[in-house]
Each structure stands twice: as structure tokens, then as C-alpha cells.
Amino acid sequence: MVIDKIKKVNKEEKRKKNEKASDMLIGKWMKCDNCKEILYKEDVHNNFSVCPNCGKHFRISARRRIKQIADDDTFEEIGANIVTKDPLQFDGYLKKVEALKEKTKIEEAVKCGSCKINGEEVVIAVMDGNFMMGSMGSAVGERITLAIETSIKKHVPLIIFCVSGGARMQEGIISLMQMAKTSSALSKHNKEGLLYISVLTDPTTGGVTASFATLGDIILAEPNALIGFAGPRVIEQTIKQKLPEGFQKSEFLLEHGFIDMIVERKDMKDTLYRIIKLHATSKSIERS
């Protein structure tokens, strides 16, 4: 009887040990939803969060994006004090926001600041799909507007990395007003002769697409990114027609002239730098 109890205890300890080892394994590995390969997370992170097997560009946080783009120790955040409000007193909205902040350690769906790219000063706004799918409420619109105004004040190029499910429904018409506000700020930016580069990532949809995302002087996109206003299923149901293959993917949009270039993540920083330098050279030629 004592032996049976010892065996039971040993069996239980072994089970717990195996479960712990299994959890460690799960924590270090991931599955690509495109090629279905099991990947070591560290290899993926070291490869710019791109699948080393098929080239799938995984969605990444604003923090990781900034780390990939900005020179070391040059990013200075702006607008961090601009946080979500509840203008419509939408039931449960602020509780959901606070729960997301606690879970994700993210304050809002966009992070803005000034930094340097290979020594060239820029202002960047990086949207984060981990926070309410990058939806645009009043705080997001205000932060992006502040980034645009900072770019004007510093007289440096502006870069916005877009990822969004569209306007934030909990803020109703106030959310939709951000489309006009950001677009108006970009109009002033354009009148100053400053460069604005928009980078569309997966997915960029809704009111963000209908405003600042598609107003760039140069519009770049990551491979195979979903870009559009309404989703393909909604469009098909509306027009009662089958859409073309790859409709709303960045490759389709490049072919039809909607975007200027598709850039892989590993090449993004150098591509942005070359565009910035080219623009600076052309402006100096104009002045001379």
C-alpha cells in the first residue's frame, strides 16, 4: 500500500514535470499560419518577425517596429499623455480599455515620436494592432495630429506606419471626425513642402485607409498586406459579384497603381533612408 502511494506521488510529480516542460516548449515555439511550419520564436524575432520558411510578415507591436526602424537610443516619444476618453459614456468602454492596458502594457493604439533613421531626423507614428485592433478613436487621432504638427515644427519628414480595423465604434461620430482632423493637418504639412511617407501594413482598413493612410507623398506597403476600406466579404455581398483573386492585397494594389512600392521588412529602414535622402537632395537642388 505504501509502495502504491509512493508510485502515485512519483507519477504525479512526473506528470507535472512533463506539463512544465510542455509549457516551456509552447512558449518558445510558434506556428506560421501561412505555411503551417513550426518555428522557433527567437529565429522569427531575429528575422524581423518574418517567417524564415515562407516570408510571411507577422503582425508586430509598435515597440518592436520602432526598434527595427529607429537608430538606437534616438526615439523620443510625444503625446504619451494623450489617453482614451469616453465622450459618449459607452457602457463598459473604459473598463475594456483599462483591461487591455493591463494585459498588453500598451497605453493607446498608436505610438508617436521623433527619432533618427541612419542619422536622418524624422517624426514617426506607429500604429499597434494589439490595442483594440489599432482602431482610431479621439486619442489616436490627436496623437497622429500632434506627430504631423511636430513634423511641421521641426521641418523634418513624417512617416506613419498604419495598421487598423478602422474607426472606434465606441466613440461614434467623434471617432469619424479624426479622419477630417488628420487630413487637414496633412494638408498643412504638404503646403510646407515636407515629405510624408505612409507605410501600409496588415491590415489597413476603414477610416484610417480613407484618411491619412492613403495621403502619403509616397505610399509603401509590406508584402501580402490587406489594404482597403470595407472587407472583401462585405463588398461581395454589397455588389453581388465575385472579387478578383488577391483583391485588396498589396501586390494587387501595386499592380493597379494604388501604392508605389512593396518593401520587405528587412529592407524597410534602408528604403526609408534612401527616400528621405533623395527628397532632401531634390529640395536642395530646387533652392539652388
Side-chain angles (χ1 to χ4, degrees):
M1 205 132 161
V2 175
I3 294 174
D4 288 340
K5 285 184 178 179
I6 293 172
K7 285 182 177 178
K8 188 176 181 181
V9 170
N10 289 340
K11 190 175 181 180
E12 184 67 18
E13 287 178 351
K14 188 176 180 180
R15 182 184 67 80
K16 288 180 179 179
K17 187 177 180 180
N18 288 338
E19 283 182 353
K20 187 177 180 181
S22 178
D23 288 341
M24 288 172 65
L25 190 66
I26 291 169
K28 291 183 179 181
W29 297 82
M30 62 183 289
K31 185 177 182 180
C32 177
D33 56 3
N34 184 54
C35 67
K36 311 306 179 186
E37 282 290 315
I38 304 299
L39 308 168
Y40 189 47
K41 278 187 178 179
E42 190 172 341
D43 289 343
V44 175
H45 292 330
N46 292 337
N47 195 43
F48 296 90
S49 297
V50 175
C51 176
N53 186 56
C54 69
K56 160 82 175 181
H57 281 54
F58 298 111
R59 297 173 185 177
I60 60 175
S61 67
R63 288 190 295 264
R64 191 174 293 276
R65 177 85 66 182
I66 291 167
K67 188 175 180 180
Q68 291 178 0
I69 295 299
D71 294 349
D72 293 342
D73 302 320
T74 63
F75 180 76
E76 295 181 7
E77 188 170 2
I78 57 174
N81 61 322
I82 302 171
V83 294
T84 303
K85 304 294 182 183
D86 187 13
L88 303 184
Q89 298 183 341
F90 195 95
D91 187 38
Y93 177 37
L94 288 183
K95 285 184 178 179
K96 183 176 183 180
V97 168
E98 290 304 317
L100 267 173
K101 286 182 181 180
E102 180 66 26
K103 180 181 178 181
T104 63
K105 309 303 180 189
I106 299 170
E107 292 297 313
E108 222 353 304
V110 68
K111 198 174 186 70
C112 306
S114 59
C115 69
K116 291 184 178 180
I117 296 178
N118 292 341
E120 294 294 320
E121 188 176 3
V122 298
V123 171
I124 62 173
V126 184
M127 302 192 76
D128 197 324
N130 294 309
F131 194 95
M132 298 192 77
M133 198 49 240
S135 55
M136 181 169 62
S138 55
V140 171
E142 185 62 24
R143 284 190 179 200
I144 289 173
T145 301
L146 178 60
I148 298 167
E149 291 172 345
T150 304
S151 172
I152 295 172
K153 184 178 179 180
K154 287 177 170 283
H155 212 75
V156 296
L158 170 72
I159 302 169
I160 302 180
F161 286 87
C162 306
V163 53
S164 180
R168 192 172 296 177
M169 69 172 193
Q170 291 90 341
E171 296 186 28
I173 190 65
I174 294 173
S175 176
L176 296 177
M177 287 167 62
Q178 307 311 309
M179 297 168 61
K181 182 166 70 176
T182 53
S183 298
S184 177
L186 283 172
S187 177
K188 295 178 182 177
H189 189 271
N190 182 62
K191 288 176 182 177
E192 291 292 322
L194 297 170
L195 174 65
Y196 165 39
I197 304 172
S198 177
V199 184
L200 312 182
T201 70
D202 183 61
T204 300
T205 61
V208 169
T209 304
S211 55
F212 61 84
T214 49
L215 292 176
D217 299 304
I218 295 176
I219 302 177
L220 309 179
E222 289 190 333
N224 206 40
L226 175 66
I227 302 163
F229 183 66
R233 179 170 52 85
V234 174
I235 297 172
E236 284 188 345
Q237 290 173 351
T238 303
I239 66 175
K240 310 298 181 186
Q241 292 182 29
K242 186 71 178 173
L243 296 172
E245 186 68 28
F247 179 73
Q248 291 187 320
K249 291 294 186 177
S250 46
E251 289 75 11
F252 184 92
L253 298 179
L254 176 65
E255 184 181 341
H256 290 79
F258 189 83
I259 61 177
D260 297 301
M261 185 188 298
I262 294 173
V263 184
E264 292 188 24
R265 198 170 287 160
K266 64 181 176 63
D267 300 321
M268 186 62 73
K269 182 174 183 177
D270 287 340
T271 300
L272 292 171
Y273 172 71
R274 288 198 300 271
I275 294 171
I276 292 166
K277 290 296 289 182
L278 182 64
H279 180 262
T281 301
S282 65
K283 295 299 287 185
S284 64
I285 290 173
E286 283 180 13
R287 285 193 292 268
S288 61

